[in-house]
Amino acid sequence: MDPTPVRMDLGRLIERAEGDFAGEDAAQLRQDFTRFMMRYKFGMEEIVTKLSILRDEFTHLHENNPIENVSSRLKNPDSIIEKMARKGTDPTFVSIEKTITDIAGVRVTCSFVSDVYTLFDLLTGQSDVHIVDVRDYIATPKSNGYRSLHALIEVPVFLSDGQVPVLVEVQLRTIAMDFWASLEHKIHYKYQQDVPQSLLDGLRDAAETAGELDATMERLHTEVKSAGELPAELQAELRARNDVGPDDGFVERLRRLGT
């Protein structure tokens, strides 16, 4: 989900417009749509900035960084029109704002499931972030095996004519979950939603495998964190081997693995 600038060429939107959109002058509709999309672009960038600050803090001041990657995207006009048709959305900006909640999206990948929830708490605990909806597909995966934590949050955007609340969908998932979701998307795109049952079964199996991998990695991560200092007898045993023992710096590095 790469950052996408607001598109100025809205010919297809204007050609397919009905209702309130059809009554507008083409130039005015283009300007109004650009203004509408810029709000979401700024809201998305606000969330990305908040995540960047957290990532930099953890990188420089903490032992572990819960953020592996952050990406973002804005829906393009064609995608918005298609979703309007599916949802029966009235062709007004007010109706679009109410019914299409994923115009601005931010995706965050983490190493561990615990990192997902830690980061969710840190982001949504900020005073200017309002939680609108949360869907935990990690605790309760979708029937096809999809796992991710979806948070619909509202942030203020300050424009020249005042403050505007903007909805941004934030998806938080592990690397394994993200890999699975990417493959699932490619398969559905290739088969245009008519995916063979054998592939669907394989995807569900792969989702289970990815979930087991996350659980195993989480367990190992927890064991490493709780290991603490090397026991004195283990240090003595290491020193006794071939009369070569680890120096204090080596022991300290091993100790840090458990913090």
Side-chain angles (χ1 to χ4, degrees), residues 14-71:
I14 295 169
E15 289 173 5
R16 298 170 64 178
E18 299 176 354
D20 286 3
F21 284 177
E24 285 199 55
D25 173 78
Q28 184 62 50
L29 176 58
R30 183 176 291 107
Q31 182 178 353
D32 291 345
F33 192 84
T34 298
R35 182 182 297 109
F36 179 75
M37 291 299 293
M38 285 184 74
R39 292 164 48 185
Y40 286 96
K41 178 177 182 290
F42 298 148
M44 180 183 71
E45 291 175 346
E46 183 74 20
I47 296 299
V48 171
T49 297
K50 289 177 179 295
L51 292 168
S52 296
I53 290 172
L54 288 171
R55 180 166 56 184
D56 286 350
E57 178 193 346
F58 275 96
T59 297
H60 297 291
L61 301 178
H62 300 276
E63 292 292 336
N64 298 305
N65 188 345
I67 302 176
E68 289 289 339
N69 185 60
V70 177
S71 58

Side-chain angles (χ1 to χ4, degrees), residues 4-213:
T4 304
V6 176
R7 296 178 182 270
M8 298 299 293
D9 182 8
L10 303 177
R12 280 175 288 186
L13 173 63
I14 295 169
E15 289 173 5
R16 298 170 64 178
E18 299 176 354
D20 286 3
F21 284 177
E24 285 199 55
D25 173 78
Q28 184 62 50
L29 176 58
R30 183 176 291 107
Q31 182 178 353
D32 291 345
F33 192 84
T34 298
R35 182 182 297 109
F36 179 75
M37 291 299 293
M38 285 184 74
R39 292 164 48 185
Y40 286 96
K41 178 177 182 290
F42 298 148
M44 180 183 71
E45 291 175 346
E46 183 74 20
I47 296 299
V48 171
T49 297
K50 289 177 179 295
L51 292 168
S52 296
I53 290 172
L54 288 171
R55 180 166 56 184
D56 286 350
E57 178 193 346
F58 275 96
T59 297
H60 297 291
L61 301 178
H62 300 276
E63 292 292 336
N64 298 305
N65 188 345
I67 302 176
E68 289 289 339
N69 185 60
V70 177
S71 58
S72 58
R73 69 100 181 95
L74 281 177
K75 275 189 177 297
N76 60 46
D78 280 348
S79 295
I80 292 175
I81 292 172
E82 291 169 4
K83 197 154 191 175
M84 287 172 64
R86 291 200 307 269
K87 287 179 167 286
T89 303
D90 293 333
T92 65
F93 291 118
V94 172
S95 183
I96 293 174
E97 186 176 11
K98 288 182 178 179
T99 60
I100 303 179
T101 58
D102 62 344
I103 294 176
V106 175
R107 181 178 300 155
V108 189
T109 54
C110 304
S111 294
F112 306 102
V113 173
S114 59
D115 290 341
V116 168
Y117 292 108
T118 294
L119 193 57
F120 170 79
D121 289 339
L122 290 172
L123 178 62
T124 58
Q126 298 185 17
S127 61
D128 59 343
V129 174
H130 172 64
I131 302 175
V132 176
D133 185 40
V134 177
R135 298 183 182 183
D136 190 346
Y137 298 119
I138 297 177
T140 307
K142 290 186 176 182
S143 59
N144 66 348
Y146 177 83
R147 288 173 165 87
S148 185
L149 179 64
H150 289 201
L152 185 62
I153 61 180
E154 186 180 84
V155 291
V157 170
F158 296 89
L159 302 173
S160 59
D161 54 355
Q163 175 181 328
V164 180
V166 176
L167 287 178
V168 180
E169 183 186 69
V170 181
Q171 299 177 2
L172 303 104
R173 57 181 65 155
T174 65
I175 297 171
M177 295 173 195
D178 191 57
F179 182 39
W180 183 93
S182 176
L183 176 61
E184 193 261 357
H185 176 76
K186 290 175 182 177
I187 289 175
H188 278 273
Y189 182 81
K190 178 178 177 60
Y191 287 92
Q192 298 296 317
Q193 306 303 317
D194 188 20
V195 183
Q197 187 61 45
S198 60
L199 284 179
L200 293 176
D201 293 340
L203 280 172
R204 277 191 290 270
D205 291 342
E208 290 298 323
T209 301
E212 292 171 1
L213 174 62

Side-chain angles (χ1 to χ4, degrees), residues 212-229:
E212 292 171 1
L213 174 62
D214 274 334
T216 300
M217 297 299 287
E218 186 77 52
R219 177 179 58 79
L220 294 173
H221 180 55
T222 300
E223 289 181 5
V224 170
K225 286 200 305 182
S226 61
E229 295 278 359

